[in-house]
Amino acid sequence: MGCRLYCCVGAAMAAALPAMGPVWAQTGASLLLPSAIAYDAAGNVYFADTNRNQVLEATLGGQLIVVAGNGVQGFAGDGAAATSAELNGPQGVAVGGNGTVYIADTGNQRVRAVIAGTISTFAGNGVRGFAGDGGVATAAEFSVPVALAVDASGALLVCDSGNQRVRRIAGGAITTIAGNGVQGFAGDGGAAAAAELDTPMGVAASDDGRIFVTDTRNDRVRMVSAGGTISTFAGTGVQGFAGDSGAATAAELALPRGLVLLPSGALLIADENNQRVRMVDTSGVISTVQGNGVQGSGAGDGVNALATMLNSPRAVGVSKFAQPAVVDSSNKLVRVEATNASLYAPAGLAAVRTSSVAMSAPATAVYGQLSTGVNVSGTAGVAQGVVNWLDGGSVVGGSTLSGGSATTLLEGIGAGNHTLSAAYLGDGLNPAETSAATNVTVTRAPVVATANAATMQFGTAVPTLTGTLSGVLPQNSGSVAAQFSSTATDLSPVGTYPIEAVLTGSAGANYAVTVSASSGSLTVAQAESSVREQVSAQSYAGFPMILAAAVSPPGLGTPTGSVTFLDGTNVVASASVSGGVATGTYLAPAAGTHAMTAKYSGDGNFLPSTSAVLDATVGALPDFTVSVANPAQSVQRGLIATYTVTVAGQGPFSGAVSLAVSGLPAGATVSFSPPQVTPGAGSATTTLSVQTTTAMASRAQAISAWWAVGFALPVFSTRRRRRKMWLAVVTACCVVGLGGCGDRSLSIAAQPSQSYTFTVTGTGTNLAGVVVTHSAVVTMVVE
């Protein structure tokens, strides 16, 4: 029976089909036989026009475009543009979550899919029959596939009406989920796949896994649970109209066709022969929501949904705004219930429908505070949907209408001059429209930067300066920041320097920054210093000691100021620092060890410091000693006595030492070879030669006769002495006799050797210009 009905309808369609080309962006075009409807996620509505052999789309904004079919009845075009393909009496359409448009190409016994404008066969091999369950969907056989739906998992459900089944395609494989292929009514309470159906022509799937099927010739709506059990959801099986406001299972239906679930969970039913759209709410109560039950031309926009006449409503849908839509097939209309409870054709099918968009915006606004408003009015109820805010053609924001109006804060509009307009995207009934443009100047928003106080030492690198920035809008968090800096450099003098701030980041140009009065400053503090003292390598008592102090910074810069040199606690010199060095003179240090320190006074940029104690040794003035090797010698008279004289330096003695002898015996002469020496740090020797004479006898001497006579003469000077004259003469004669005839002297008995002591003296001039002498005593025994 269902098959015979389809064949008759198909023949009538073929006879009425005009020869026509594809419809491209045709606004207000007439339909021939709409039979299915579906919405995509954006709100665009698709419907299959069976007699045009096309699937059309009425966009949210009000355009009508061809999705598939060139208007020629047939099968062709797989793999090419869907608008160039041939279809054969399409009676079903569904849209997947990924935008794929599925078409029940009914006369071709196939389901076809349009992806990115290209058409292909999704299921069915074109042979009318039943085969393929459990296999690849493209190899399966269908018999008059009509209604389609996408379930929560993304699988496609197909009412295979001539095969009395509902089939499911997932992952490319096809299975039967309801109907055993026998035309009839049976199976409630059992497995859906074992039940009997009679010409199923509508299907819908809920998010909880339930599947609703119009068992059209049984005048029922059946439900398959998530567990696969079938039951009657609405209808008694008696064809008629009854039951509104009561339980749906007690109501009468008349050839129910299309189904759709509302966001509320209620189910809409196209009750075709009752000329109504009926709804079963979530409590199971049925009611009429569209159509007065009179078959007629209820054409014309603005007719109340319950008061309008319908003519064979075959499919139902629901817009993104929860507006029920009906395919009024024999009236060649698609009608949508607006907010005012009246029915209107989609904007793409309404040739003269317009919308009015009025935007309000201030002439000037601070960045982040630009508030704009829009009012949209249309003829198809209160306008719904989205308004995009445009800046010279670029989208800068969006708002959802409420009661036809919207107000928004355009926080993303940057500082500068802008040309703003509001573009209404349409709601499927009221077409898209754009407002007149308005010029707006956006000024920079004030923000306040507060720097953290920082300190650095003179001569060191400027530290990274930090702080906080307040007043930045939340949407710019992370895209604007304050960069803090100061005029101070690593060699800026000690003092306090203000910290400034500039804005960085992609959104920085939208803000004007000021520095808070409580902002911290950069303080350049005196740097540490270190002093290292040096003294001259060799110092002598009474001579100036050269002192030096090197003042070093920890970083850059050159210390100035002065250094005081101390010996213990006594100040012995002071000097100015030049080039980091101070040089002073300790005029007359005493011999010994001195604990020397240098105290740096500091200057405007460097702190005072004191050196470590340096022990400096001051030696006595260089001197010499004179010594004689073998200072006691014997020599024969008339011969030369030699002595080795050693002059040893102490200090060292760098002057020349001249040598001399004092206390020589009469007649002796001396010489030095060399006559002067320079001992230096060691010693030098010279040879002292003493020339003796033969006269240098010992006390045993020869007495001459004349001496004897002389000795006797006084005897005769007096009378007494005359008495003794003879004794003297005798004595003289004896002497003469002892000396021999040829010698006029008289030898007396020998005496011991004579010892002479004399002094060897060295004379030199020391470093102080003072003449210095040192002596050694020499003994010479002349034999």
Side-chain angles (χ1 to χ4, degrees):
M1 177 177 168
C3 178
R4 289 193 298 275
L5 174 65
Y6 171 78
C7 294
C8 294
V9 171
M13 289 181 184
L17 184 65
M20 60 177 294
V23 178
W24 296 96
Q26 180 179 354
T27 301
S30 61
L31 302 177
L32 296 181
L33 186 62
S35 56
I37 187 172
Y39 282 87
D40 65 14
N44 304 301
V45 60
Y46 300 78
F47 36 88
D49 190 335
T50 303
N51 281 7
R52 282 187 179 275
N53 297 298
Q54 289 179 315
V55 174
L56 306 175
E57 175 189 359
T59 68
L60 193 69
Q63 287 185 311
L64 182 66
I65 59 177
V66 174
V67 174
N70 60 6
V72 175
Q73 185 178 20
F75 174 73
D78 271 4
T83 53
S84 300
E86 294 178 1
L87 302 177
N88 188 356
Q91 292 190 52
V93 65
V95 184
N98 60 358
T100 300
V101 179
Y102 299 98
I103 303 167
D105 193 1
T106 307
N108 282 322
Q109 312 303 329
R110 287 177 165 90
V111 176
R112 298 173 84 175
V114 178
I115 301 174
T118 299
I119 195 168
S120 62
T121 293
F122 183 75
N125 61 8
V127 176
R128 182 172 179 173
F130 175 73
D133 265 9
V136 178
T138 51
E141 295 177 1
F142 287 104
S143 178
V144 194
V146 284
L148 305 175
V150 177
D151 70 13
S153 69
L156 184 69
L157 305 178
V158 183
C159 281
D160 191 0
S161 63
N163 280 322
Q164 315 303 331
R165 286 177 167 87
V166 177
R167 301 171 84 176
R168 183 174 186 267
I169 302 167
I174 190 168
T175 56
T176 294
I177 60 170
N180 61 6
V182 176
Q183 187 175 16
F185 174 74
D188 270 5
E196 294 178 1
L197 303 176
D198 191 348
T199 319
M201 302 193 76
V203 63
S206 69
D207 291 340
D208 60 9
R210 293 175 298 162
I211 297 172
F212 300 89
V213 180
T214 52
D215 194 359
T216 303
R217 287 292 177 181
N218 282 322
D219 297 306
R220 298 172 189 264
V221 175
R222 314 272 292 272
M223 182 186 74
V224 180
S225 71
T229 299
I230 195 168
S231 61
T232 295
F233 182 77
T236 61
V238 176
Q239 188 173 114
F241 174 74
D244 269 5
S245 300
T249 53
E252 295 178 359
L253 304 174
L255 299 179
R257 294 280 296 256
L259 299 175
V260 72
L261 281 163
L262 297 176
S264 65
L267 182 71
L268 291 184
I269 307 168
D271 194 359
E272 182 179 18
N273 275 10
N274 278 323
Q275 315 303 329
R276 286 177 168 87
V277 174
R278 299 174 83 178
M279 180 181 76
V280 181
D281 65 19
T282 55
S283 64
V285 174
I286 193 168
S287 61
T288 296
V289 293
Q290 292 179 4
N292 61 8
V294 178
Q295 186 175 17
S297 72
D301 284 346
V303 179
N304 181 268
L306 289 173
T308 192
M309 292 184 289
L310 300 176
N311 191 353
S312 302
R314 292 189 176 181
V316 286
V318 60
S319 76
K320 67 177 293 184
F321 306 108
Q323 298 166 318
V326 60
V327 176
D328 193 3
S329 298
S330 294
N331 279 327
K332 304 178 182 180
L333 294 172
V334 174
R335 306 171 78 182
V336 182
E337 186 174 336
T339 55
N340 58 5
S342 297
L343 297 179
Y344 297 86
L349 296 172
V352 296
R353 193 177 300 158
T354 60
S355 299
S356 175
V357 181
M359 185 192 75
S360 60
T364 60
V366 176
Y367 172 72
Q369 300 178 24
L370 176 57
S371 180
T372 57
V374 66
N375 289 305
V376 180
S377 59
T379 56
V382 177
Q384 301 184 87
V386 172
V387 172
N388 278 343
W389 304 93
L390 307 178
D391 181 7
S394 299
V395 177
V396 293
S399 299
T400 299
L401 293 176
S402 175
S405 299
T407 300
T408 191
L409 186 64
L410 295 178
E411 296 177 318
I413 299 292
N417 296 321
H418 302 272
T419 302
L420 301 182
S421 57
Y424 173 54
L425 302 186
D427 60 7
L429 294 178
N430 297 293
E433 186 59 80
T434 301
S435 73
T438 298
N439 293 324
V440 176
T441 299
V442 176
T443 60
R444 294 188 296 170
V447 290
V448 177
T450 303
N452 296 324
T455 301
M456 61 174 282
Q457 286 190 351
F458 172 82
T460 60
V462 177
T464 299
L465 301 176
T466 61
T468 58
L469 185 66
S470 60
V472 176
L473 297 176
Q475 75 266 18
N476 294 139
S477 176
S479 60
V480 62
Q483 180 176 307
F484 296 92
S485 63
S486 172
T487 57
T489 67
D490 47 12
L491 291 177
S492 292
V494 167
T496 300
Y497 297 82
I499 297 176
E500 300 172 346
V502 296
L503 298 179
T504 61
S506 58
N510 296 318
Y511 295 91
V513 64
T514 56
V515 177
S516 169
S518 61
S519 189
S521 301
L522 173 61
T523 299
V524 178
Q526 286 177 296
E528 301 290 336
S529 65
S530 61
V531 181
R532 183 172 55 87
E533 187 178 14
Q534 292 180 327
V535 299
S536 53
Q538 183 68 52
S539 297
Y540 299 105
F543 268 72
M545 179 190 292
I546 305 303
L547 308 173
V551 185
S552 301
L556 301 177
T558 302
T560 60
S562 62
V563 170
T564 300
F565 297 95
L566 296 94
D567 181 358
T569 59
N570 298 322
V571 175
V572 296
S574 62
S576 296
V577 179
S578 177
V581 176
T583 304
T585 303
Y586 188 173
L587 291 178
T593 301
H594 298 262
M596 303 299 298
T597 54
K599 286 190 174 181
Y600 170 55
S601 66
D603 62 12
N605 295 322
F606 292 96
L607 292 169
S609 58
T610 302
S611 72
V613 176
L614 176 65
D615 289 333
T617 301
V618 176
L621 276 175
D623 205 346
F624 64 90
T625 61
V626 177
S627 62
V628 179
N630 249 343
Q633 294 189 35
S634 297
V635 64
Q636 294 291 324
R637 55 188 176 144
L639 298 180
I640 298 174
T642 60
Y643 299 86
T644 299
V645 180
T646 299
V647 180
Q650 291 182 325
F653 194 87
S654 58
V657 178
S658 299
L659 296 161
V661 175
S662 62
L664 281 172
T669 61
V670 297
S671 65
F672 288 92
S673 179
Q676 62 178 207
V677 294
T678 303
S683 62
T685 61
T686 183
T687 302
L688 168 63
S689 299
V690 181
Q691 176 66 59
T692 65
T693 65
T694 57
M696 296 174 61
S698 67
R699 292 185 179 180
Q701 299 181 18
I703 304 174
S704 69
W706 297 105
W707 180 83
V709 174
F711 178 76
L713 285 178
V715 177
F716 299 99
S717 62
T718 64
R719 287 182 71 182
R720 182 179 285 182
R721 289 176 180 172
R722 286 189 199 106
R723 294 178 187 160
K724 295 179 180 179
M725 180 182 63
W726 291 109
L727 179 57
V729 172
V730 174
T731 301
C733 289
C734 290
V735 171
V736 173
L738 287 172
C741 297
D743 195 344
R744 296 182 180 181
S745 64
L746 179 65
S747 177
I748 304 176
Q751 297 294 322
S753 300
Q754 181 65 48
S755 175
Y756 299 94
T757 299
F758 54 90
T759 302
V760 177
T761 301
T763 302
T765 303
N766 67 13
L767 293 175
V770 177
V771 175
V772 188
T773 63
H774 294 285
S775 300
V777 176
V778 176
T779 300
M780 182 177 66
V781 177
V782 179
E783 297 177 346

